[in-house]
Each structure stands twice: as C-alpha cells, then as structure tokens.
Amino acid sequence: MAAFTVIQAGELGASAASFTISSIASSYDHLYLTISARDSKSAYYNNLEFRFNGESSPYSNTYLLAGTTTPTSTRDTGVGDVISLCAGDSLLADTFSTTTMWIPHYSNTANDKQCIIKSVVPNNSITDNQWYIAMTAGLWASTDAIDEIRVKSEGGSELMTYTSYVLYGIKGV
C-alpha cells in the first residue's frame, strides 16, 4: 500500500509572481503536487509554468485541452517550462482552479523526468473558452534528481492571495 507523506504545504498571504518548493528530499519513490490557484490575468485562464531545479530547459509538453465541445491537442518541444492551466481573474469571482502533478521516479538519476498534470478551470458558464479541462504530459530532459519545483504565472501576472499547494512524497508504489 502506498504511503503519502506531506513534504511541504503553503498558502500565499499576498499576491506573488511565483513560489518555490525547495529542499525536496530524495527519499521517496514519487512526488504528487496539488495546487489551488487563481491568477491576476484579465482572462478566463492563464498558464502555470513549472520549472525543476531552476533549470530553464529542455522541457517538452504534450497537451489535451477541452474548453469547447471539440477537444484539441498540441505538442511543444524545447520550451523553458512544463505548463498547465490556472484560473484567470475574469473567471467567476472567488473561483480557483485545481491542478495535480504526478512526478514518478523524481530522484532517479538514470532517466529523464516525466510528469502528468491534470488541470481544471471551473466556471458557471458553458460558453466556449470560459472553462477548461487539460491533461499535460511533460518531460524534463535531465537525469538530475528533482529537489526544487518553482511554480510561476505566465506573462508577468501574479498568483493571487490564497493560492495554496501541498507536495506529497510517496513510498511503496
């Protein structure tokens, strides 16, 4: 049976461009990160950027995105971060998005690091592009063990007060 241990948890007491989870011990099998976030961008959503160990490349992302009745998919390679979605400030007031990230074998130094990200930007509207569900398969082409995760809003906007996160270490899977 898997054992989930809270490594670190936090909540923003004021708006901030980013937050960093650092000093992640290598004693677990996998990492699982949950985030509840809202962004100051005047839009229904913005991107959340994840960077490991402060390294800006090389990352790649494969996305499956639904914001209409016709889902789309795309792939980005050679980019500076792994990407997911975050609620924007045009969304229903006081509504936060949810994001979960699974990072298997994060401390293995023989292979590149993979992650699976699920994001939901809920809204009380069924109008196209005013709500989103996304899956991201991310890859960090590095054999370094992950000991730091930076979470940042894209484009200079800020994560709003009460954005929160919990990072779990998982053993026994």
Side-chain angles (χ1 to χ4, degrees):
M1 177 171 217
F4 283 62
T5 302
V6 175
I7 296 174
Q8 189 174 343
E11 180 179 276
L12 297 181
S15 295
S18 66
F19 63 85
T20 300
I21 304 166
S22 58
S23 302
I24 300 170
S26 62
S27 56
Y28 301 96
D29 297 323
H30 316 288
L31 295 176
Y32 188 73
L33 176 63
T34 64
I35 299 174
S36 174
R38 188 174 175 99
D39 187 279
S40 65
K41 182 176 181 179
S42 181
Y44 288 100
Y45 79 97
N46 194 16
N47 288 329
L48 274 183
E49 301 173 337
F50 297 90
R51 185 169 290 178
F52 304 125
N53 298 358
E55 297 291 326
S56 62
S57 65
Y59 296 88
S60 62
N61 297 285
T62 302
Y63 313 97
L64 178 59
L65 175 68
T68 68
T69 55
T70 307
T72 61
S73 65
T74 188
R75 179 161 167 73
D76 293 326
T77 59
V79 294
D81 302 283
V82 175
I83 306 291
S84 76
L85 299 181
C86 175
D89 202 34
S90 295
L91 202 64
L92 181 66
D94 300 323
T95 301
F96 284 63
S97 58
T98 58
T99 297
T100 61
M101 176 189 281
W102 177 270
I103 309 171
H105 310 291
Y106 74 102
S107 62
N108 179 327
T109 57
N111 299 310
D112 293 344
K113 304 305 174 285
Q114 302 169 348
C115 61
I116 300 167
I117 306 170
K118 294 184 273 185
S119 304
V120 177
V121 178
N123 202 351
N124 66 345
S125 170
I126 58 171
T127 301
D128 286 356
N129 303 311
Q130 292 185 6
W131 59 273
Y132 290 93
I133 299 172
M135 292 286 297
T136 304
L139 176 70
W140 179 38
S142 174
T143 58
D144 292 346
I146 295 173
D147 62 10
E148 180 181 284
I149 303 170
R150 187 214 60 199
V151 181
K152 179 181 178 291
S153 286
E154 183 181 64
S157 60
E158 293 191 331
L159 295 167
M160 297 176 89
T161 304
Y162 306 119
T163 290
S164 61
Y165 68 91
V166 180
L167 178 66
Y168 298 90
I170 303 168
K171 282 190 172 192
V173 176

